Amino acid sequence: CAHCRLVCQAEQKPYYTSKLWWCGIILLGLGEVGNFTAYGFAPITLVAPLGCVSVIGSAFISVFFLKKTMRSADILGGTLTITGIYLLVTFAPNVRQELTAQQVQNYLVSWPFLAYSILEIITFCILLYFYKRKAVKHIVVLLMMVALLASLTVIAVKAVSSMIALSVKGKMQLTYSVFYIMIVLMATSCAFQIKFLNQAMHLYEATAVVPINFVFFTTSATISGVIFYREFQSAALLSVFMFLFGCLLSFLGVIIIARNKKEENLQVPFIDCGHIPGQKLTSKIQPDSHSSCYGTLNKEDDSVKRQS
C-alpha cells in the first residue's frame, strides 16, 4: 500500500521515508517474533501449518488496503483453510514442549535423525548438482532445496526458542554449547533459504511460488518435527489421519486463493519530457495509434524525418 501511494505522488520520494512503510515493517517484525516464540511453546507440526493464516490475511486485507476485488475463489479458499486450521488445532499432538539442552543433544545423535539427515543431505546434493552443473532452475528444484533447508531451520528455531524460554523461567540453558550450535545452524539455513527463494521469485510468478513453497515447507517441517522431536510418538491413528486431512484442506485453500491471481505492474502511462535534460520536448512522447510514426522531438534532423 505504501509503494502504491508513493508511485501516485507527483514528487517521487524513497520508500523508506514513508511512515506507512515503516509501520508495515514493524508489524512484519512483530509477527516474526511471535512466530519464533510460538515454536518454544507449541509443536512444530502445529506451528508450521498455521502459516497459512498469513495467506488468508493477505487475501482479505488486500481488499481494504489495496482495493482488490473479493473473488469467489478467495471465499472458497478461505473456508477450506479455516476448516483445515480447526482440524490442525484440534488434532495436533499434545506433547511436553519444555526442551532442555541435554534433550536436544540426545535428539541430535539419535539414529532416526541421523538417517534422516543423511537422506536429506544426499537429496540436497543431487538437487544442487542439477542446479549448478546442469543449470536446472525449475521451480520444483528451487523450492525443494528451500524446503530441505527449512526442515533444519525449524528444528534449530524450536531448540533455540525452547532453551531461551526455559532460561527466562530460571532454568539456565544458554551456557550449553548446543545452544550456540543451533543458532549458527538457524542463521546459515535461513540465509541459503533466502538465496534460493529469491531465485524462485525472480524466475517465476509469486502466485506459483507462494502455494508451492507453503506446501513444501509445511510438509518438510512436519516431517522434521515427527522425526527429530517425535511429536506423534504416542498419537492415536484417528488423530494422525484427521491432522493430515486438516493439512490437505489448508493446502487446497492456499492453492485456490493464490491461483489465477494476476500481478499488477505499476507503470507510468507516458514519459514526462520535462525529465529529459538538454532537449526541448513536447508534453508527451508516446505511440500514436492513428499515425505512422511515434511522437518525436520538436527539432528533427533530416535523417529522423526520412526514417519517419
Side-chain angles (χ1 to χ4, degrees):
C1 185
H3 285 293
C4 290
R5 289 185 180 182
L6 289 172
V7 168
C8 295
Q9 291 180 357
E11 182 182 357
Q12 297 297 315
K13 297 181 179 179
Y15 62 88
Y16 50 80
T17 61
S18 170
K19 294 180 180 179
L20 183 62
W21 184 83
W22 280 108
C23 179
I25 291 297
I26 292 172
L27 289 174
L28 181 62
L30 290 175
E32 291 303 320
V33 170
N35 191 38
F36 174 82
T37 306
Y39 280 103
F41 297 93
I44 290 177
T45 48
L46 175 60
V47 178
L50 287 181
C52 61
V53 174
S54 64
V55 180
I56 300 178
S58 298
F60 285 92
I61 291 174
S62 64
V63 175
F64 300 100
F65 283 91
L66 301 180
K67 308 303 178 184
K68 301 284 187 178
T69 303
M70 177 66 71
R71 308 174 305 158
S72 58
D74 295 330
I75 299 174
L76 175 61
T79 303
L80 289 174
T81 307
I82 291 173
T83 305
I85 289 172
Y86 173 77
L87 294 176
L88 289 172
V89 174
T90 304
F91 295 98
N94 186 15
V95 294
R96 187 171 64 89
Q97 294 304 314
E98 287 191 351
L99 292 169
T100 64
Q102 187 62 45
Q103 287 176 315
V104 174
Q105 290 177 356
N106 294 335
Y107 288 149
L108 282 173
V109 297
S110 62
W111 71 263
F113 177 69
L114 293 177
Y116 174 72
S117 300
I118 293 172
L119 180 61
E120 186 175 85
I121 291 171
I122 292 173
T123 305
F124 185 83
C125 290
I126 293 173
L127 293 173
L128 191 63
Y129 170 78
F130 282 105
Y131 173 76
K132 288 288 188 180
R133 297 294 183 181
K134 302 296 183 181
V136 177
K137 297 182 180 179
H138 193 273
I139 186 172
V140 173
V141 173
L142 292 170
L143 294 184
M144 278 191 68
M145 288 193 290
V146 173
L148 292 174
L149 291 168
S151 66
L152 299 178
T153 303
V154 295
I155 288 173
V157 166
K158 182 170 181 59
V160 172
S161 181
S162 298
M163 285 188 278
I164 290 176
L166 280 177
S167 299
V168 171
K169 293 179 181 179
K171 302 176 182 179
M172 180 55 64
Q173 304 293 316
L174 307 186
T175 57
Y176 291 88
S177 59
V178 69
F179 174 77
Y180 300 97
I181 292 173
M182 285 298 182
I183 288 180
V184 172
L185 178 62
M186 179 179 65
T188 305
S189 58
C190 279
F192 282 101
Q193 272 189 80
I194 293 171
K195 169 183 170 59
F196 293 120
L197 190 57
N198 280 338
Q199 183 75 28
M201 292 293 290
H202 177 70
L203 296 175
Y204 301 95
E205 296 287 343
T207 52
V209 174
V210 170
I212 296 175
N213 183 58
F214 172 72
V215 172
F216 284 4
F217 168 80
T218 304
T219 303
S220 178
T222 302
I223 293 173
S224 64
V226 170
I227 294 177
F228 189 85
Y229 292 110
R230 306 168 189 176
E231 294 179 348
F232 275 105
Q233 191 172 18
S234 59
L237 182 61
L238 178 61
S239 297
V240 175
F241 174 78
M242 295 303 295
F243 177 85
L244 294 177
F245 184 63
C247 287
L248 178 62
L249 290 180
S250 299
F251 293 163
L252 289 175
V254 171
I255 291 172
I256 290 174
I257 291 174
R259 188 185 62 179
N260 296 329
K261 276 193 173 182
K262 302 296 183 182
E263 292 189 349
E264 298 180 359
N265 295 321
L266 299 173
Q267 295 180 347
V268 181
F270 60 86
I271 300 174
D272 185 355
C273 298
H275 287 82
I276 303 179
Q279 298 289 346
K280 181 180 179 182
L281 307 175
T282 57
S283 60
K284 299 178 183 178
I285 296 180
Q286 62 181 6
D288 185 358
S289 59
H290 301 291
S291 174
S292 60
C293 62
Y294 293 110
T296 56
L297 305 179
N298 288 339
K299 294 182 180 181
E300 297 176 316
D301 55 19
D302 294 336
S303 62
V304 173
K305 290 182 180 179
R306 285 195 300 270
Q307 290 176 2
S308 300

